[in-house]
Amino acid sequence: MKIGVLTGGGDCPGLNAVIRSVVRKGTQEYGFEFIGLRDGWLGALRDKVVPLDIAAVRGILPRGGTILGSSRTNPYRHEDGVRRIKDTLATHGVDALVVIGGEDTLGAATELSRQGVPLVGVPKTIDNDVAGTDYTFGFDTAVGIATEAIDRLHTTAESHMRTLVVEVMGRHSGWIALHAGVAGGANVILVPERPFDIDQVCTWVKNRFRTNYAPIVVAAEGAVPKEGQMILQDRTRDEYGHVHLSGIGEWLAQEISQRTGTDARTTVLGHIQRGGTPSAFDRWLATRFGLHAVDAVNDGAFGTMVALRGTEIVRVPLDETRGRTKVVHPSLYDEFEVFFG
């Protein structure tokens, strides 16, 4: 068989580990041939392919990003998108695809699978919000980076006795904010799943100052006040209809400063959370996903996604993950409120 591999959506640590794993096992155990589609679905639409063999994936395990490039291209927003993808696969004699991506990339894969494209999905995202899997690779690295940043910000906050607001990624789910905030000893953690009361936030901040410590507020980029107004600096949208989130951190710092009469500043971690070398766990998980994805292709288990359940890698129908986002359960968030303020 000849297998195509693509990485779509935002980059994250561990993508190269999946590519390496897929190619190594597929070539050595099954005798598959591989090509890579450049820049996600864009490469499939524009016939941009590169050869993939063992030599091409040698040494890429510790590298961040993706050697294949990525994009947020939605094939269903392009004229004759499905036909063009099928034409590209036919031109290169591709028998099946391994699609590595998050909710949007895998959502497009689900629709393509329904229209006869044989493929297997691999879930990735630093947000850890793909339904059907306990964890996605990239998440552990992002949490580690955010936690280290919070650790560093504690000392500068206390030196100046000011509030520091740390804005982390998380459009619809607060997994990074919750994990990094708890690990970094934050005094307030704000997540999209729980609209916040700005008066309560300011009360927690003032309580912290009363104990002669400076507050750290960790906010996911998708966190919103109870009034329900999303805080945005940029209202443009990508091809999947998502707005480019930013601004909640700066808004919080301004409100805290005005309401408490104390100094507050913002640190937006942004793409720092995506970059750099993957953690050991993310390399391990990504490698396992790749191994099992190739097995699924060999077994003809198309229309499925490999997923982590406990310590086992299982196959989940892509249809079961479509339109669902894995969010932080209220009871999990409530566990940590004792540390707020």
Side-chain angles (χ1 to χ4, degrees), residues 270-288:
H271 289 81
I272 290 173
Q273 296 158 94
R274 291 193 182 281
T277 186
S279 68
F281 178 81
D282 280 341
R283 299 184 202 189
W284 178 86
L285 180 58
T287 297
R288 291 192 73 197

Side-chain angles (χ1 to χ4, degrees), residues 41 75-76 82 85-86 107-117 119:
W41 293 120
Y76 287 91
V82 175
I85 289 174
K86 288 182 176 181
T110 303
E111 295 301 322
L112 286 165
S113 177
R114 290 171 179 167
Q115 296 185 52
V117 177
L119 56 83

Side-chain angles (χ1 to χ4, degrees), residues 42-332:
L42 186 64
L45 290 169
R46 296 184 178 178
D47 194 12
K48 297 168 60 179
V49 305
V50 293
L52 274 181
D53 55 21
I54 290 179
V57 301
R58 188 170 291 124
I60 68 172
L61 175 65
R63 288 174 56 183
T66 165
I67 63 169
L68 294 177
S70 190
S71 71
R72 295 191 183 276
T73 302
N74 181 351
Y76 287 91
R77 294 290 294 273
H78 293 254
E79 186 176 356
D80 293 329
V82 175
R83 179 191 59 78
R84 290 163 62 187
I85 289 174
K86 288 182 176 181
D87 286 348
T88 297
L89 301 182
T91 297
H92 297 278
V94 173
D95 299 298
L97 287 177
V98 173
V99 178
I100 311 166
E103 57 176 335
D104 293 326
T105 301
L106 293 178
T110 303
E111 295 301 322
L112 286 165
S113 177
R114 290 171 179 167
Q115 296 185 52
V117 177
L119 56 83
V120 171
V122 177
K124 70 87 202 162
T125 173
I126 67 168
D127 291 340
N128 196 41
D129 61 357
V130 174
T133 183
D134 290 349
Y135 286 98
T136 54
F137 65 87
F139 172 67
D140 184 72
T141 303
V143 168
I145 292 169
T147 301
E148 182 181 356
I150 296 166
D151 287 345
R152 291 176 179 274
L153 290 170
H154 271 291
T155 57
T156 185
E158 289 173 8
S159 295
H160 296 274
M161 289 304 290
R162 62 164 59 113
T163 301
L164 283 181
V165 179
V166 186
E167 182 181 311
V168 300
M169 286 186 171
R171 178 185 300 277
H172 301 299
S173 62
W175 292 106
I176 295 177
L178 187 62
H179 279 243
V182 170
N187 311 109
V188 181
I189 301 171
L190 306 177
V191 298
E193 295 88 342
R194 180 74 63 90
F196 62 86
D197 182 338
I198 186 61
D199 291 327
Q200 178 63 70
V201 171
C202 290
T203 297
W204 284 328
V205 165
K206 288 187 283 189
N207 288 343
R208 183 68 172 174
F209 277 123
R210 290 194 189 101
T211 61
N212 293 319
Y213 285 98
I216 299 289
V217 177
V218 175
E221 60 186 344
V224 293
K226 281 190 174 179
E227 291 80 359
Q229 181 181 0
M230 183 74 79
I231 310 304
L232 302 172
Q233 292 176 340
D234 181 353
R235 294 187 178 274
T236 59
R237 295 178 178 267
D238 64 20
E239 291 192 6
Y240 290 93
H242 300 309
V243 293
H244 298 284
L245 296 181
S246 63
I248 186 63
E250 190 60 38
W251 183 84
L252 278 165
Q254 291 176 3
E255 290 294 315
I256 290 169
S257 182
Q258 292 172 5
R259 291 166 182 257
T260 66
T262 59
D263 191 19
R265 305 289 177 88
T266 305
T267 297
V268 180
L269 296 186
H271 289 81
I272 290 173
Q273 296 158 94
R274 291 193 182 281
T277 186
S279 68
F281 178 81
D282 280 341
R283 299 184 202 189
W284 178 86
L285 180 58
T287 297
R288 291 192 73 197
F289 276 166
L291 296 175
H292 285 262
V294 169
D295 289 341
V297 170
N298 185 65
D299 293 343
F302 301 123
T304 64
M305 177 189 82
V306 293
L308 180 68
R309 298 281 179 84
T311 60
E312 300 297 319
I313 305 296
V314 299
R315 298 171 186 171
V316 178
L318 280 168
D319 276 333
E320 292 185 7
T321 69
R322 186 74 174 109
R324 295 170 53 208
T325 300
K326 187 179 69 179
V327 297
V328 174
H329 194 276
S331 64
L332 181 60

